Amino acid sequence: MDFAPYLAGLAAGAGLIIAIGAQNAFVLRQGLQRHYIGSVVAVCIVADVSLILLGVAGMGLAVQQHPGLLQWLRYAGAAFLTAYGVMALRRAWQGESGLQPAGDGALSRGRVVAACLAFTLLNPHVYLDTVVLLGSLSTHYAGPERWAFAAGASSASVVWFLSLGYGARLLLPVFRSPVAWRVFDVAVALFMLTLAAVLVYQPVG
């Protein structure tokens, strides 16, 4: 069996997924707080793999032909990121974060999953990266090799989100300090607000 298409998909998928993004910041936060991390990781993996498979199946052209949808996602995503950024600033100001037991001031599983879906699906760049770009790259291969490329890209997603979500516990000694949480929340807030501004002022497509 020729592993070249699989390795090419693995490298391409890793290059796109590992880049710092709002979704990764959210997964890291949930991993640090140990709140429903299994659900969060599962949502991210299923969403990413589904989009990759849609792209390889030829949906990239359909996404490109509906710029109105991407523009709607652009502004909806910016609004969501702005709201989340403001919430992070409030947490930093009030010192509400910390390693609290699940259920003690934590969001419900449904709200956490909903937020995770929003971070994943309200970002128009996720469609350009997974559906359009990875879908386009897969056209260099034919038949089974094309799906081997998809398997490689999907594997990158699985490994990354499992590592990010469950590997966050390695940072727990640092985040036992309330000051560390405040710094983290300020960084997240600035990152989210910057991403929101980029979505508003930078054309998609």
Side-chain angles (χ1 to χ4, degrees), residues 31 34 58 65 69 72 80 91 100 118 127 140 157 172 181-182 189 196:
R34 297 169 292 180
Q65 290 176 340
L69 174 60
W72 181 87
F80 176 77
R91 285 196 305 267
Q100 301 170 338
Y127 299 95
H140 292 89
S157 176
L172 288 179
W181 274 106
R182 288 193 169 191

PDB file of all heavy atoms in Angstrom, residues 31 34 58 65 69 72 80 91 100 118 127 140 157 172 181-182 189 196:
ATOM      1  N   GLY A  31     -10.089  21.954  28.668  1.00  0.00           N
ATOM      2  CA  GLY A  31      -9.181  20.942  29.179  1.00  0.00           C
ATOM      3  C   GLY A  31      -8.564  21.347  30.506  1.00  0.00           C
ATOM      4  O   GLY A  31      -8.404  20.532  31.414  1.00  0.00           O
ATOM      5  N   ARG A  34     -11.224  21.052  33.064  1.00  0.00           N
ATOM      6  CA  ARG A  34     -11.742  19.672  33.138  1.00  0.00           C
ATOM      7  C   ARG A  34     -13.268  19.649  33.115  1.00  0.00           C
ATOM      8  O   ARG A  34     -13.900  18.897  33.849  1.00  0.00           O
ATOM      9  CB  ARG A  34     -11.204  18.989  34.405  1.00  0.00           C
ATOM     10  CG  ARG A  34      -9.687  18.846  34.422  1.00  0.00           C
ATOM     11  CD  ARG A  34      -9.162  18.418  35.768  1.00  0.00           C
ATOM     12  NE  ARG A  34      -9.351  19.469  36.769  1.00  0.00           N
ATOM     13  CZ  ARG A  34      -8.993  19.366  38.038  1.00  0.00           C
ATOM     14  NH1 ARG A  34      -8.430  18.250  38.478  1.00  0.00           N
ATOM     15  NH2 ARG A  34      -9.199  20.363  38.883  1.00  0.00           N
ATOM     16  N   GLY A  58     -16.166  16.628  -2.886  1.00  0.00           N
ATOM     17  CA  GLY A  58     -16.438  17.593  -3.945  1.00  0.00           C
ATOM     18  C   GLY A  58     -17.318  18.758  -3.564  1.00  0.00           C
ATOM     19  O   GLY A  58     -17.818  19.470  -4.437  1.00  0.00           O
ATOM     20  N   GLN A  65     -19.264  28.708  -4.505  1.00  0.00           N
ATOM     21  CA  GLN A  65     -20.332  29.279  -5.316  1.00  0.00           C
ATOM     22  C   GLN A  65     -21.408  29.967  -4.484  1.00  0.00           C
ATOM     23  O   GLN A  65     -22.355  30.520  -5.032  1.00  0.00           O
ATOM     24  CB  GLN A  65     -20.969  28.182  -6.179  1.00  0.00           C
ATOM     25  CG  GLN A  65     -20.052  27.681  -7.288  1.00  0.00           C
ATOM     26  CD  GLN A  65     -20.650  26.536  -8.067  1.00  0.00           C
ATOM     27  OE1 GLN A  65     -21.562  25.848  -7.601  1.00  0.00           O
ATOM     28  NE2 GLN A  65     -20.142  26.307  -9.276  1.00  0.00           N
ATOM     29  N   LEU A  69     -23.287  32.870   1.951  1.00  0.00           N
ATOM     30  CA  LEU A  69     -23.272  32.077   3.182  1.00  0.00           C
ATOM     31  C   LEU A  69     -22.010  32.366   3.984  1.00  0.00           C
ATOM     32  O   LEU A  69     -22.071  32.549   5.209  1.00  0.00           O
ATOM     33  CB  LEU A  69     -23.343  30.586   2.844  1.00  0.00           C
ATOM     34  CG  LEU A  69     -23.194  29.619   4.038  1.00  0.00           C
ATOM     35  CD1 LEU A  69     -24.301  29.863   5.054  1.00  0.00           C
ATOM     36  CD2 LEU A  69     -23.204  28.178   3.557  1.00  0.00           C
ATOM     37  N   TRP A  72     -22.315  35.699   5.681  1.00  0.00           N
ATOM     38  CA  TRP A  72     -23.186  35.627   6.859  1.00  0.00           C
ATOM     39  C   TRP A  72     -22.421  35.022   8.035  1.00  0.00           C
ATOM     40  O   TRP A  72     -22.482  35.528   9.166  1.00  0.00           O
ATOM     41  CB  TRP A  72     -24.417  34.781   6.548  1.00  0.00           C
ATOM     42  CG  TRP A  72     -25.362  34.691   7.703  1.00  0.00           C
ATOM     43  CD1 TRP A  72     -26.360  35.551   8.025  1.00  0.00           C
ATOM     44  CD2 TRP A  72     -25.369  33.679   8.744  1.00  0.00           C
ATOM     45  NE1 TRP A  72     -26.998  35.155   9.182  1.00  0.00           N
ATOM     46  CE2 TRP A  72     -26.408  34.015   9.636  1.00  0.00           C
ATOM     47  CE3 TRP A  72     -24.612  32.545   8.987  1.00  0.00           C
ATOM     48  CZ2 TRP A  72     -26.701  33.238  10.759  1.00  0.00           C
ATOM     49  CZ3 TRP A  72     -24.891  31.777  10.109  1.00  0.00           C
ATOM     50  CH2 TRP A  72     -25.927  32.125  10.979  1.00  0.00           C
ATOM     51  N   PHE A  80     -20.081  36.564  17.679  1.00  0.00           N
ATOM     52  CA  PHE A  80     -19.887  35.554  18.709  1.00  0.00           C
ATOM     53  C   PHE A  80     -18.534  35.715  19.393  1.00  0.00           C
ATOM     54  O   PHE A  80     -18.429  35.669  20.624  1.00  0.00           O
ATOM     55  CB  PHE A  80     -20.008  34.153  18.105  1.00  0.00           C
ATOM     56  CG  PHE A  80     -19.724  33.048  19.082  1.00  0.00           C
ATOM     57  CD1 PHE A  80     -20.663  32.683  20.026  1.00  0.00           C
ATOM     58  CD2 PHE A  80     -18.510  32.392  19.063  1.00  0.00           C
ATOM     59  CE1 PHE A  80     -20.404  31.670  20.940  1.00  0.00           C
ATOM     60  CE2 PHE A  80     -18.231  31.385  19.968  1.00  0.00           C
ATOM     61  CZ  PHE A  80     -19.180  31.024  20.902  1.00  0.00           C
ATOM     62  N   ARG A  91     -14.330  37.886  33.196  1.00  0.00           N
ATOM     63  CA  ARG A  91     -13.790  36.858  34.087  1.00  0.00           C
ATOM     64  C   ARG A  91     -12.441  37.298  34.656  1.00  0.00           C
ATOM     65  O   ARG A  91     -12.156  37.102  35.844  1.00  0.00           O
ATOM     66  CB  ARG A  91     -13.621  35.531  33.332  1.00  0.00           C
ATOM     67  CG  ARG A  91     -14.908  34.791  33.061  1.00  0.00           C
ATOM     68  CD  ARG A  91     -14.631  33.341  32.685  1.00  0.00           C
ATOM     69  NE  ARG A  91     -13.717  33.229  31.550  1.00  0.00           N
ATOM     70  CZ  ARG A  91     -14.085  33.130  30.292  1.00  0.00           C
ATOM     71  NH1 ARG A  91     -15.379  33.127  29.992  1.00  0.00           N
ATOM     72  NH2 ARG A  91     -13.199  33.016  29.325  1.00  0.00           N
ATOM     73  N   GLN A 100     -12.274  25.016  39.406  1.00  0.00           N
ATOM     74  CA  GLN A 100     -13.440  24.682  40.215  1.00  0.00           C
ATOM     75  C   GLN A 100     -13.943  23.302  39.835  1.00  0.00           C
ATOM     76  O   GLN A 100     -13.840  22.894  38.682  1.00  0.00           O
ATOM     77  CB  GLN A 100     -14.550  25.703  39.976  1.00  0.00           C
ATOM     78  CG  GLN A 100     -14.140  27.135  40.301  1.00  0.00           C
ATOM     79  CD  GLN A 100     -15.183  28.121  39.825  1.00  0.00           C
ATOM     80  OE1 GLN A 100     -15.986  27.840  38.941  1.00  0.00           O
ATOM     81  NE2 GLN A 100     -15.167  29.288  40.405  1.00  0.00           N
ATOM     82  N   ALA A 118     -20.352  26.567  17.955  1.00  0.00           N
ATOM     83  CA  ALA A 118     -20.274  27.933  17.439  1.00  0.00           C
ATOM     84  C   ALA A 118     -18.839  28.282  17.047  1.00  0.00           C
ATOM     85  O   ALA A 118     -18.596  28.840  15.973  1.00  0.00           O
ATOM     86  CB  ALA A 118     -20.794  28.922  18.482  1.00  0.00           C
ATOM     87  N   TYR A 127     -14.331  26.502   6.723  1.00  0.00           N
ATOM     88  CA  TYR A 127     -14.841  25.925   5.474  1.00  0.00           C
ATOM     89  C   TYR A 127     -13.826  26.101   4.350  1.00  0.00           C
ATOM     90  O   TYR A 127     -13.656  25.204   3.514  1.00  0.00           O
ATOM     91  CB  TYR A 127     -16.174  26.581   5.093  1.00  0.00           C
ATOM     92  CG  TYR A 127     -17.236  26.375   6.135  1.00  0.00           C
ATOM     93  CD1 TYR A 127     -17.475  27.336   7.126  1.00  0.00           C
ATOM     94  CD2 TYR A 127     -17.989  25.208   6.180  1.00  0.00           C
ATOM     95  CE1 TYR A 127     -18.433  27.139   8.102  1.00  0.00           C
ATOM     96  CE2 TYR A 127     -18.953  25.003   7.156  1.00  0.00           C
ATOM     97  CZ  TYR A 127     -19.165  25.979   8.113  1.00  0.00           C
ATOM     98  OH  TYR A 127     -20.108  25.784   9.093  1.00  0.00           O
ATOM     99  N   HIS A 140      -5.555  15.928  -6.364  1.00  0.00           N
ATOM    100  CA  HIS A 140      -4.308  15.452  -6.951  1.00  0.00           C
ATOM    101  C   HIS A 140      -4.222  13.930  -6.919  1.00  0.00           C
ATOM    102  O   HIS A 140      -3.309  13.346  -7.511  1.00  0.00           O
ATOM    103  CB  HIS A 140      -3.106  16.039  -6.203  1.00  0.00           C
ATOM    104  CG  HIS A 140      -2.952  17.517  -6.392  1.00  0.00           C
ATOM    105  ND1 HIS A 140      -3.567  18.442  -5.575  1.00  0.00           N
ATOM    106  CD2 HIS A 140      -2.281  18.237  -7.315  1.00  0.00           C
ATOM    107  CE1 HIS A 140      -3.259  19.666  -5.981  1.00  0.00           C
ATOM    108  NE2 HIS A 140      -2.479  19.573  -7.030  1.00  0.00           N
ATOM    109  N   SER A 157      -6.581  15.648  12.689  1.00  0.00           N
ATOM    110  CA  SER A 157      -7.599  16.273  13.521  1.00  0.00           C
ATOM    111  C   SER A 157      -7.825  15.480  14.808  1.00  0.00           C
ATOM    112  O   SER A 157      -7.873  16.047  15.902  1.00  0.00           O
ATOM    113  CB  SER A 157      -8.918  16.383  12.735  1.00  0.00           C
ATOM    114  OG  SER A 157      -9.941  16.904  13.550  1.00  0.00           O
ATOM    115  N   LEU A 172      -1.748  22.106  34.453  1.00  0.00           N
ATOM    116  CA  LEU A 172      -2.538  22.372  35.659  1.00  0.00           C
ATOM    117  C   LEU A 172      -1.726  22.981  36.803  1.00  0.00           C
ATOM    118  O   LEU A 172      -2.227  23.874  37.499  1.00  0.00           O
ATOM    119  CB  LEU A 172      -3.233  21.092  36.131  1.00  0.00           C
ATOM    120  CG  LEU A 172      -4.407  20.630  35.260  1.00  0.00           C
ATOM    121  CD1 LEU A 172      -5.000  19.337  35.810  1.00  0.00           C
ATOM    122  CD2 LEU A 172      -5.483  21.703  35.173  1.00  0.00           C
ATOM    123  N   TRP A 181      -4.766  32.403  35.748  1.00  0.00           N
ATOM    124  CA  TRP A 181      -6.058  32.379  35.068  1.00  0.00           C
ATOM    125  C   TRP A 181      -6.433  33.758  34.546  1.00  0.00           C
ATOM    126  O   TRP A 181      -6.978  33.888  33.450  1.00  0.00           O
ATOM    127  CB  TRP A 181      -7.147  31.870  36.016  1.00  0.00           C
ATOM    128  CG  TRP A 181      -7.225  30.375  36.021  1.00  0.00           C
ATOM    129  CD1 TRP A 181      -6.803  29.535  37.007  1.00  0.00           C
ATOM    130  CD2 TRP A 181      -7.727  29.544  34.981  1.00  0.00           C
ATOM    131  NE1 TRP A 181      -7.022  28.236  36.641  1.00  0.00           N
ATOM    132  CE2 TRP A 181      -7.598  28.201  35.409  1.00  0.00           C
ATOM    133  CE3 TRP A 181      -8.290  29.794  33.734  1.00  0.00           C
ATOM    134  CZ2 TRP A 181      -7.996  27.123  34.628  1.00  0.00           C
ATOM    135  CZ3 TRP A 181      -8.696  28.726  32.935  1.00  0.00           C
ATOM    136  CH2 TRP A 181      -8.544  27.406  33.393  1.00  0.00           C
ATOM    137  N   ARG A 182      -6.143  34.784  35.315  1.00  0.00           N
ATOM    138  CA  ARG A 182      -6.455  36.148  34.856  1.00  0.00           C
ATOM    139  C   ARG A 182      -5.633  36.503  33.622  1.00  0.00           C
ATOM    140  O   ARG A 182      -6.153  37.085  32.671  1.00  0.00           O
ATOM    141  CB  ARG A 182      -6.201  37.145  35.981  1.00  0.00           C
ATOM    142  CG  ARG A 182      -7.234  37.058  37.095  1.00  0.00           C
ATOM    143  CD  ARG A 182      -7.161  38.244  38.034  1.00  0.00           C
ATOM    144  NE  ARG A 182      -8.307  38.261  38.933  1.00  0.00           N
ATOM    145  CZ  ARG A 182      -8.613  39.290  39.723  1.00  0.00           C
ATOM    146  NH1 ARG A 182      -7.855  40.370  39.714  1.00  0.00           N
ATOM    147  NH2 ARG A 182      -9.666  39.235  40.503  1.00  0.00           N
ATOM    148  N   ALA A 189      -9.165  36.939  25.639  1.00  0.00           N
ATOM    149  CA  ALA A 189     -10.034  38.050  25.254  1.00  0.00           C
ATOM    150  C   ALA A 189      -9.419  38.858  24.108  1.00  0.00           C
ATOM    151  O   ALA A 189     -10.094  39.158  23.115  1.00  0.00           O
ATOM    152  CB  ALA A 189     -10.282  38.963  26.455  1.00  0.00           C
ATOM    153  N   ALA A 196     -12.197  38.668  15.791  1.00  0.00           N
ATOM    154  CA  ALA A 196     -13.471  39.279  15.398  1.00  0.00           C
ATOM    155  C   ALA A 196     -13.222  40.450  14.450  1.00  0.00           C
ATOM    156  O   ALA A 196     -13.910  40.609  13.437  1.00  0.00           O
ATOM    157  CB  ALA A 196     -14.236  39.742  16.635  1.00  0.00           C
TER     158      ALA A 196
END
